[in-house]
Amino acid sequence: MKTPNKWVSLLLVVCFVAVFTGCQGRAGFGESASNPSLAQTAAQEPLGVSDMKLLTKWNGVCSGAAGEQGFYYPKVKDDGSMLMMYLDYATGTETVLCANLSCEHRDDSCPAWISAHQGGVVPLVVGDSLFLISRGSDNPSEEICQPKIIRMGLNGADKTTVIELDASEELIPPFAGNEDTIVCAYRSSRTDGASLDSDNWIAAIQTKNGRITKLADISENTTTVVGALGEQLLLQSVSGDSFFLSALDVNTAEQKVLDTWRYGEKVLFTTHEGYGFVYADGHIEYSKAPSFEKQEFPGVSMPLDEQIGLEAVTFVDSFDDKVIFEVFHPGDVPAQTQVKEWGLNLSDGTLRELTLCTDFDGVTAPVEIISVLENQLLVVAQLSYQQVSMLDENQMPMQMQTIANQYALITKEDYWNSKANYQLFESVWF
């Protein structure tokens, strides 16, 4: 569970993440939604997908896209448009992702420029490509922009549109897949008088030709992607107070239920190799693909708050054979409230407290992992207030105070051993 101050720092992220959570009143169907034969034909053809992984956090939160050499993120301009920025790890420099030195970064002629009406973007680094997934906008008072997937090189070159959808369609995080295929929840909506109809399914989009494959129908807002294991997509569904975890084979579209539980019985976590649960009594079990045989950890128990119980525990992230949890301990005043971080080593079944923290405005919180690299983690090392210039509804400049993150790299080993050996990017706060 994150502290409120930690999430305030995501103010500038909302424009390209939270906008994906829903859209009311959209009209009409796009071609891929209104032509059922397209989806049916595509679903019968093998996709040949392998080596899938989650491309965003399991909960869909995305503050940028991390490659092994640098970090890509949108920066909001005072007119509401955005620029794709690049943070080079080696030099610590922040630049606009545009190689044209004479470019003014004001319109579509610039590969880094993103329209204010585009609904924001989610950037994904996959292999040697940078993908930008936008929601688009169908607000009649604004310029209409279609939802789309854009692909470019990691240097911003060769920018192309993979697919452009109708204004009635949207792609919803979390995103999973590989350089050839992106998988996520898909929704199309249309109004008929006072009613709103929607079509919801899991979609696989081929990044070379933009073809959409319908893999499985899902219920609106109750099924989300929570993991990816090779050819298998892990889906969590909710019905009342009941939860269902299922595995969907992206190549065959076959789906099987892996587990069911009721609210308050256990909390799900996922890794790149399997899934597991923290139970109400604190004990942990883990199931690894492909057999999904359950593994217990004798003597290991998550130290939950006695009054809150399972509601106190939040799955944060996983990397290699490590799983990270946060446990919330409420206090009478904010200064007494604690959020402790724990790491489970799946290889030896040990649990340890992780003590790297940020201290800001009287609140101490665990260091936030932004992205997992091969040998390092990109994290938020510090927080600070900053003034941001924006335009109000009358296009007049105004000043806003936000909380900025100072990003840093840390080796996985140092993070696991709670050693604050950061590679700080001193001049980069966002």
Side-chain angles (χ1 to χ4, degrees):
M1 182 176 297
K2 297 287 185 183
T3 62
N5 278 332
K6 199 69 165 284
W7 287 112
V8 171
S9 66
L10 292 176
L11 175 63
L12 297 181
V13 176
V14 170
C15 61
F16 60 99
V17 176
V19 292
F20 280 84
T21 58
C23 177
Q24 302 299 319
R26 293 189 169 210
F29 275 99
E31 179 181 352
S32 59
S34 61
N35 185 352
S37 63
L38 172 66
Q40 291 172 1
T41 301
Q44 295 173 2
E45 299 177 2
L47 294 177
V49 176
S50 61
D51 299 324
M52 282 198 309
K53 65 177 182 178
L54 278 180
L55 303 176
T56 56
K57 295 274 192 176
W58 66 275
N59 55 10
V61 171
C62 174
S63 56
E68 289 297 323
Q69 306 301 320
F71 185 64
Y72 301 82
Y73 55 97
K75 175 175 283 189
V76 181
K77 301 176 65 180
D78 58 7
D79 64 356
S81 65
M82 291 179 287
L83 292 176
M84 282 304 301
M85 306 297 295
Y86 176 67
L87 168 64
D88 185 273
Y89 300 146
T91 63
T93 56
E94 176 190 34
T95 57
V96 179
L97 193 64
C98 176
N100 185 355
L101 298 180
S102 63
C103 183
E104 296 182 348
H105 315 309
R106 291 183 177 179
D107 53 39
D108 279 328
S109 64
C110 172
W113 184 83
I114 302 164
S115 167
H117 309 299
Q118 192 57 64
V121 297
V122 170
L124 305 172
V125 170
V126 192
D128 294 328
S129 297
L130 173 66
F131 292 92
L132 305 180
I133 303 179
S134 71
R135 176 177 179 267
S137 171
D138 64 349
N139 189 332
S141 65
E142 299 177 347
E143 175 188 347
I144 303 299
C145 290
Q146 306 298 95
K148 64 183 69 175
I149 297 179
I150 296 169
R151 181 176 188 163
M152 64 181 73
L154 296 181
N155 60 357
D158 303 320
K159 183 177 181 180
T160 59
T161 298
V162 173
I163 186 173
E164 188 171 83
L165 302 175
D166 187 81
S168 67
E169 301 170 284
E170 54 188 321
L171 305 174
I172 305 169
F175 296 101
N178 54 37
E179 193 168 5
D180 298 321
T181 308
I182 293 176
V183 185
C184 64
Y186 163 96
R187 175 166 61 226
S188 65
S189 306
R190 66 178 174 186
T191 56
D192 182 13
S195 63
L196 176 67
D197 295 325
S198 63
D199 190 19
N200 302 271
W201 29 278
I202 298 297
I205 302 143
Q206 295 173 325
T207 60
K208 292 181 179 178
N209 56 25
R211 188 170 190 178
I212 298 181
T213 298
K214 179 179 179 179
L215 298 178
D217 288 303
I218 59 175
S219 300
E220 182 178 10
N221 298 327
T222 61
T223 300
T224 56
V225 176
V226 292
L229 316 172
E231 302 174 359
Q232 302 287 323
L233 199 66
L234 296 183
L235 305 177
Q236 178 179 266
S237 301
V238 183
S239 177
D241 65 347
S242 298
F243 292 79
F244 305 85
L245 179 68
S246 61
L248 173 65
D249 190 303
V250 175
N251 295 313
T252 66
E254 294 180 357
Q255 190 171 356
K256 63 178 179 180
V257 176
L258 299 175
D259 213 318
T260 63
W261 67 99
R262 291 190 176 276
Y263 177 80
E265 290 181 346
K266 51 189 179 181
V267 170
L268 173 71
F269 67 88
T270 63
T271 74
H272 67 290
E273 291 186 331
Y275 68 92
F277 295 97
V278 179
Y279 285 78
D281 62 1
H283 89 271
I284 303 170
E285 68 178 27
Y286 179 64
S287 301
K288 187 175 179 179
S291 64
F292 294 120
E293 182 178 347
K294 292 182 180 180
Q295 176 185 357
E296 302 282 351
F297 300 96
V300 172
S301 180
M302 189 66 64
L304 306 179
D305 183 89
E306 293 183 359
Q307 296 181 338
I308 301 180
L310 270 184
E311 290 189 11
V313 64
T314 300
F315 164 53
V316 175
D317 213 331
S318 65
F319 60 88
D320 302 338
D321 56 357
K322 312 293 195 302
V323 185
I324 313 301
F325 302 93
E326 287 182 0
V327 179
F328 180 73
H329 299 275
D332 294 332
V333 295
Q336 295 177 355
T337 297
Q338 293 182 317
V339 181
K340 295 186 176 181
E341 195 163 70
W342 296 87
L344 172 66
N345 188 327
L346 296 171
S347 295
D348 58 19
T350 58
L351 188 71
R352 67 168 62 184
E353 185 175 0
L354 308 175
T355 58
L356 290 180
C357 293
T358 57
D359 296 293
F360 177 72
D361 205 16
V363 175
T364 299
V367 161
E368 182 180 358
I369 298 176
I370 297 299
S371 190
V372 177
L373 306 177
E374 184 176 357
N375 299 310
Q376 297 174 298
L377 303 175
L378 183 66
V379 301
V380 176
Q382 298 179 31
L383 299 161
S384 175
Y385 284 119
Q386 72 172 2
Q387 295 294 322
V388 178
S389 177
M390 301 287 288
L391 296 182
D392 63 17
E393 59 184 8
N394 299 315
Q395 300 302 300
M396 298 296 293
M398 65 176 184
Q399 294 293 316
M400 294 179 58
Q401 181 173 265
T402 66
I403 298 176
N405 299 328
Q406 184 179 28
Y407 283 38
L409 288 174
I410 185 172
T411 66
K412 293 177 178 178
E413 182 179 2
D414 282 340
Y415 173 86
W416 188 249
N417 292 308
S418 299
K419 296 181 179 179
N421 296 326
Y422 296 122
Q423 177 189 335
L424 292 169
F425 305 113
E426 298 291 349
S427 62
V428 182
W429 295 78
F430 46 89

